[in-house]
């Protein structure tokens, strides 16, 4: 096995620093040259996009003339989408490598400008389609065999007819794209490039600079002083910027509220869910179910308090492993092989594609100075999937690898199987494949772990996954619901309102088993997903669906695998609810969420037995 590069490189005898990107071995970086070998190649596609947009602009006023003209417009729209998506994905990922790189910033700005121009130039398409009489549109589809490919897409357009503006209004709104997206862009630059945290002493007494990627690792430390110092350092740093961040977040919420009103939605939440054709009741049922099972969370917190010997359990004690004598370090190359073994239950084809991807430039593995925090899977039509990680040698990061690989395989199969128009998938199902991979990894490890302490460690990990993904994300979802409703009712998102509202939610979720520290009131400031409104609830519904599907795969075998791979290959060719139902789970029912919470409750009891 090749040696693993260390995350830190000594700067002085008594300090450590985060490495720059050029100090990391190329084999642990993704291969963006597979998209564009050089910026000149990127520019060629940018010029091509300008030509395509000019062609598309010439179609204005002609789309409804015949089935052939409609087909030509849809096909050209696909080509525009392919090129503009490729341009933007490359530029954004290039910036994510090092958000302080001014050249990458300039390229991303240019790409985003092209994206806005694309939306503006093509904005007349949907309004023109909606001017076609329903009977005429149906006849056009029937008479033109090639147009039938777009039948479901056209149904989706007409379904949202009442929320589409006039042609001029759509073009005007599209032209404001950069301005409307400004709060999110500003926050990303602030949080990733400008935010600097203090240094603290780690477990070895060495000074380390806290980063987004290192923060979670510090909260897992065995040393309570390290956890406390990291927790206080991060949130006290954010507190210094609370007025600025409140202004950013408030502007982003107002953007969603205004956009929803302009499009005749009852609320920003309805507008967001309508894009996936998800009933608002699914969102409300999720929050209700989680509140019903808060006693299970409180039982887990009391167990954590007892096992750790901390009667005064604090918020910074929630992430350190309860099985303290297990030092389970997993180098990246070992993690890769473990994940590949765990997903073998999904078939040889699935595994071989994943193995090839992990060894051929899909993944950007290690944290470097200026790199975007967190992890994601991305890509576009015509590229293979890409994964950004900030890998540390922890078991949690092995699960992160499995998670992002699940996203990537979902993208791979959808893009391989579906035409461009259906090659993506809705955000509602986006977390299903990733979390299913995590569940399969857990099952694989548990079946090969006889050691009582390690088994307890894995159970603790899964409980933390469900706590973090189902309980925590639902708490986030409830916060978003309250924040948007407050603005819709004429309220202002002041720092005080945001702090108080978030803190009160934390007390509801945690106070029965944990001291809710004052600093946690500022946690809303460090959640990037709040700038993609009403996204986080899908983590909670996603893990519920994934746990149900993984149980079916592990118990039923080939028939369940066939249905699951069919789901991965379906893209957006049908409504998300229907795709999941065919895979074996009904998300319109509250049962998948409640089943996941029941599993959490039973695992708390099992862990209690192991640790008694």
């Amino acid at each position: 096995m090749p040696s693993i590069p260390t995350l830190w490189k000594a700067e002085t005898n008594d300090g450590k620093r985060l490495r720059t990107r050029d100090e990391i071995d190329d084999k642990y970086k993704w291969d963006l040259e597979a998209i564009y070998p050089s910026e000149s190649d990127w520019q060629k596609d940018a010029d091509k996009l300008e030509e395509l947009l000019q062609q598309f602009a010439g179609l204005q006023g002609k789309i409804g003339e015949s089935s052939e003209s409609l087909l030509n417009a849809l096909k050209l729209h696909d080509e525009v989408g392919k090129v503009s998506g490729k341009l933007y994905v490359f530029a954004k990922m290039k910036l994510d490598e090092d958000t302080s790189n001014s050249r990458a910033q300039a390229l991303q700005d240019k790409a985003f400008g092209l994206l806005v121009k694309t939306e503006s130039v093509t904005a007349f398409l949907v309004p023109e389609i909606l001017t076609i009489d329903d009977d005429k549109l149906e006849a056009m589809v029937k008479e033109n065999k090639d147009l039938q490919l777009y039948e479901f897409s056209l149904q989706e357009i007409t379904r949202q007819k009442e929320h589409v503006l006039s042609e001029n209004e759509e073009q005007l709104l599209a032209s404001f794209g950069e301005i409307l997206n400004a709060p999110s862009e500003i926050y990303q630059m602030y949080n990733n490039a400008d935010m600097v945290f203090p240094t603290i002493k780690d477990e070895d007494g060495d000074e380390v600079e806290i980063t987004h990627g290192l923060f979670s690792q510090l909260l897992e430390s065995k040393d309570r002083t390290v956890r406390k110092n990291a927790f206080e350092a991060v949130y006290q740093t954010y507190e210094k910027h609370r007025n600025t961040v409140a202004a950013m977040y408030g502007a982003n919420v107002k953007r969603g509220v205004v956009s929803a009103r302009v499009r005749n939605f009852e609320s920003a939440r309805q507008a967001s869910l309508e894009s996936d054709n998800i009933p608002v009741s699914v969102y409300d049922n999720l929050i209700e179910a989680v509140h019903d099972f808060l006693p299970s969370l409180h039982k887990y917190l009391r167990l954590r308090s007892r096992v750790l010997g901390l009667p005064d359990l604090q918020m910074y004690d929630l992430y350190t492993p309860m099985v303290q004598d297990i030092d389970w370090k997993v180098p990246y190359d070992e993690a890769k092989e473990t994940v590949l073994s765990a997903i073998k239950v999904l078939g040889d084809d699935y595994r071989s594609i994943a193995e090839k991807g992990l060894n051929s430039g899909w993944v950007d593995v290690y944290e470097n100075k200026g790199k975007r925090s967190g992890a994601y899977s991305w890509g576009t039509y015509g590229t293979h999937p890409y994964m950004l990680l900030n890998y540390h040698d922890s078991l949690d990061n092995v699960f992160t690898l499995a998670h992002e690989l699940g996203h990537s395989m979902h993208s791979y199969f959808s893009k391989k199987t579906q035409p461009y128009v259906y090659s993506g998938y809705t955000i509602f199902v986006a977390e299903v494949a990733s979390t299913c991979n995590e569940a399969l990894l857990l099952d694989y490890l548990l079946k090969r772990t006889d050691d009582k302490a390690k088994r307890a460690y894995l159970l603790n990990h899964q409980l933390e996954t469900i706590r973090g993904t189902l309980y925590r994300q639902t708490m986030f979802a409830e916060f978003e619901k309250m924040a948007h409703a407050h603005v819709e009712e004429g309220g202002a998102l002041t720092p005080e309102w945001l702090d108080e509202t978030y803190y009160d939610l934390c007390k509801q979720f945690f106070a029965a088993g944990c001291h809710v520290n004052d600093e946690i009131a500022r946690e809303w400031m460090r959640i990037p997903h709040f700038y993609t409104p009403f996204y986080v609830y899908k983590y909670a519904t996603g893990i519920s669906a994934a746990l149900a599907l993984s149980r079916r795969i592990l118990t039923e075998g080939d028939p369940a695998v066939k249905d699951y791979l069919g789901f991965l290959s379906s893209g957006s060719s049908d409504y998300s609810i229907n795709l999941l139902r065919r895979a074996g789970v009904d998300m319109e029912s509250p049962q998948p969420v409640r089943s996941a919470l029941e599993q959490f409750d039973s695992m708390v009891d099992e862990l209690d037995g192991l640790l008694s």
Side-chain angles (χ1 to χ4, degrees):
M1 179 180 294
S3 61
I4 304 299
T6 56
L7 179 67
W8 300 99
K9 180 178 178 180
E11 183 178 45
T12 63
N13 290 332
D14 59 352
K16 297 178 182 179
R17 69 174 177 87
L18 194 61
R19 292 184 302 162
T20 59
R21 187 161 184 83
D22 60 4
E23 293 173 322
I24 295 175
D25 194 312
D26 286 346
K27 66 182 176 180
Y28 296 111
K29 300 176 187 176
W30 55 23
D31 179 20
L32 296 187
E33 290 186 1
I35 305 178
Y36 292 113
S38 67
E39 285 189 30
S40 63
D41 293 296
W42 185 94
Q43 187 59 50
K44 288 177 184 177
D45 256 5
D47 295 339
K48 177 182 177 181
L49 178 62
E50 295 281 9
E51 294 173 5
L52 291 171
L53 290 175
Q54 189 173 7
Q55 292 177 39
F56 198 88
L59 301 178
Q60 191 166 4
K62 305 173 184 178
I63 289 176
E65 291 178 353
S66 66
S67 63
E68 191 63 30
S69 60
L70 176 58
L71 175 63
N72 289 338
L74 292 172
K75 289 171 69 174
L76 184 56
H77 188 260
D78 285 354
E79 187 62 23
V80 166
K82 291 175 187 177
V83 178
S84 63
K86 192 176 175 183
L87 288 167
Y88 184 72
V89 163
F90 175 86
K92 186 64 170 67
M93 289 196 296
K94 198 69 181 172
L95 179 60
D96 287 347
E97 293 178 351
D98 181 358
T99 57
S100 65
N101 185 320
S102 59
R103 187 170 179 176
Q105 290 173 15
L107 189 67
Q108 196 270 347
D109 287 345
K110 187 174 181 181
F112 190 73
L114 287 171
L115 201 61
V116 171
K117 182 177 182 180
T118 297
E119 292 175 354
S120 179
V121 170
T122 61
F124 68 85
L125 176 64
V126 170
E128 276 201 34
I129 290 173
L130 291 175
T131 64
I132 304 172
D133 180 79
D134 289 348
D135 291 338
K136 180 181 178 181
L137 182 61
E138 183 178 354
M140 291 168 72
V141 173
K142 286 183 178 179
E143 76 179 32
N144 192 321
K145 184 178 179 181
D146 292 334
L147 191 57
Q148 290 170 14
L149 168 68
Y150 296 93
E151 185 172 7
F152 179 70
S153 177
L154 292 169
Q155 288 175 2
E156 269 290 85
I157 291 172
T158 56
R159 177 178 69 83
Q160 301 185 58
K161 191 170 187 176
E162 64 179 300
H163 304 298
V164 178
L165 307 179
S166 70
E167 182 179 312
N168 289 336
E169 288 170 331
E170 287 289 348
Q171 287 181 324
L172 180 62
L173 195 59
S175 70
F176 281 96
E178 277 189 276
I179 297 172
L180 292 173
N181 199 55
S184 176
E185 290 294 317
I186 293 169
Y187 177 80
Q188 292 298 334
M189 293 304 298
Y190 151 81
N191 203 38
N192 291 309
D194 295 338
M195 176 60 78
V196 177
F197 299 111
T199 60
I200 66 169
K201 290 186 177 181
D202 63 14
E203 294 180 13
D204 298 322
D206 295 326
E207 293 284 339
V208 294
E209 179 186 346
I210 301 174
T211 65
H212 289 290
L214 188 59
F215 180 50
S216 59
Q217 185 174 333
L218 292 170
L219 289 182
E220 294 176 3
S221 172
K222 295 178 181 179
D223 189 327
R224 198 182 196 199
T225 300
V226 172
R227 303 197 299 267
K228 180 177 185 292
N229 289 344
F231 181 87
E232 291 178 349
V234 165
Y235 289 117
Q236 288 171 8
T237 301
Y238 273 109
E239 185 175 13
K240 297 174 183 177
H241 305 270
R242 62 198 291 264
N243 293 299
T244 300
V245 182
M248 291 184 216
Y249 182 59
N252 203 63
V253 170
K254 289 175 185 176
R255 168 202 173 188
V257 170
V258 170
S259 297
R261 286 174 178 165
V262 165
R263 293 190 178 280
N264 304 309
F265 286 101
E266 293 180 7
S267 67
R269 188 164 63 114
Q270 184 202 24
S272 180
L273 271 64
E274 179 70 15
S275 63
D276 293 337
N277 198 27
I278 305 297
V280 172
S281 60
V282 172
Y283 198 104
D284 292 332
N285 289 341
L286 169 67
I287 293 174
E288 181 181 353
V290 167
H291 275 271
D292 286 345
F293 278 84
L294 283 179
S296 298
L297 175 61
H298 301 154
K299 179 170 67 172
Y300 170 63
L301 294 175
R302 288 191 294 271
L303 173 62
R304 170 173 280 273
S305 176
R306 176 175 64 80
V307 171
L308 292 178
L310 298 173
D312 62 332
L313 191 74
Q314 308 284 322
M315 297 297 289
Y316 51 77
D317 296 320
L318 298 184
Y319 298 95
T320 187
M322 290 162 63
V323 187
Q324 289 287 336
D325 58 343
I326 298 294
D327 185 17
W328 204 335
K329 297 295 184 183
V330 187
Y332 175 72
D333 285 352
E334 181 183 336
K336 190 167 57 174
E337 293 306 315
T338 300
V339 170
L340 288 171
S341 296
I343 61 175
K344 191 174 181 179
V345 295
L346 294 175
D348 292 338
D349 187 42
Y350 184 100
R351 187 191 184 283
S352 63
I353 294 167
E355 183 175 19
K356 181 180 178 182
L358 292 177
N359 292 307
S360 58
W362 285 21
V363 193
D364 204 78
V365 179
Y366 293 108
E367 186 177 14
N368 59 253
K369 190 172 180 62
K371 184 177 176 181
R372 174 181 168 145
S373 63
Y376 66 66
S377 170
W378 209 23
T380 187
Y381 203 81
T383 77
H384 60 64
Y386 284 89
M387 287 176 272
L388 180 140
L389 303 177
N390 283 277
Y391 192 87
H392 295 263
D393 294 351
S394 68
L395 182 65
D396 184 61
N397 278 215
V398 182
F399 280 90
T400 298
L401 174 60
H403 182 100
E404 300 307 335
L405 181 61
H407 281 308
S408 292
M409 295 301 289
H410 193 176
S411 298
Y412 176 88
F413 280 108
S414 289
K415 288 179 173 61
K416 178 184 177 183
T417 308
Q418 297 295 329
Y420 174 78
V421 65
Y422 304 124
S423 62
Y425 43 81
T426 68
I427 298 177
F428 186 77
V429 300
E431 296 303 325
V432 173
S434 54
T435 314
C436 185
N437 262 18
E438 288 194 70
L440 296 177
L441 174 60
L442 176 73
D443 181 79
Y444 174 84
L445 292 172
L446 283 172
K447 286 177 177 175
R448 287 155 181 80
T449 304
D450 296 326
D451 183 272
K452 184 177 178 180
K454 284 192 172 183
R455 184 173 184 83
Y457 189 95
L458 288 168
L459 289 172
N460 180 201
H461 175 89
Q462 182 65 353
L463 286 168
E464 280 300 293
T465 297
I466 297 175
R467 182 179 73 83
T469 309
L470 186 43
Y471 281 105
R472 179 176 165 83
Q473 300 298 329
T474 300
M475 188 184 80
F476 288 168
E478 190 168 2
F479 176 75
E480 284 193 282
K481 177 184 175 181
M482 296 167 74
H484 284 78
H486 186 64
V487 171
E488 287 164 346
E489 293 165 3
L493 295 183
T494 63
E496 292 75 20
W497 187 93
L498 290 162
D499 283 356
E500 182 180 344
T501 302
Y502 193 85
Y503 187 73
D504 287 345
L505 274 174
C506 287
K507 286 196 294 186
Q508 288 183 54
F509 274 70
F510 298 103
C514 177
H515 173 70
V516 181
N517 306 73
D518 291 344
E519 290 88 353
I520 203 65
R522 261 69 71 188
E523 188 177 38
W524 62 269
M525 297 175 62
R526 60 174 292 267
I527 310 301
H529 277 134
F530 283 163
Y531 291 81
T532 307
F534 304 107
Y535 180 98
V536 294
Y537 90 97
K538 299 167 190 180
Y539 283 111
T541 55
I543 191 173
S544 301
L547 290 174
L549 290 173
S550 64
R551 284 195 297 270
R552 184 169 181 241
I553 289 166
L554 292 167
T555 57
E556 298 182 24
D558 289 345
V561 170
K562 181 179 178 181
D563 290 343
Y564 180 68
L565 294 180
F567 160 72
L568 296 184
S569 302
S570 294
S572 57
S573 59
D574 198 353
Y575 297 123
S576 300
I577 291 286
N578 294 339
L579 295 176
L580 285 171
R581 188 177 289 117
R582 286 201 291 271
V585 59
D586 182 6
M587 291 308 298
E588 285 193 276
S589 162
Q591 191 54 46
V593 176
R594 300 188 74 87
S595 294
L597 292 165
E598 288 167 359
Q599 180 179 344
F600 179 89
D601 188 80
S602 65
M603 291 179 71
V604 173
D605 292 337
E606 182 180 355
L607 182 59
D608 192 358
L610 285 171
L611 297 179
S612 295

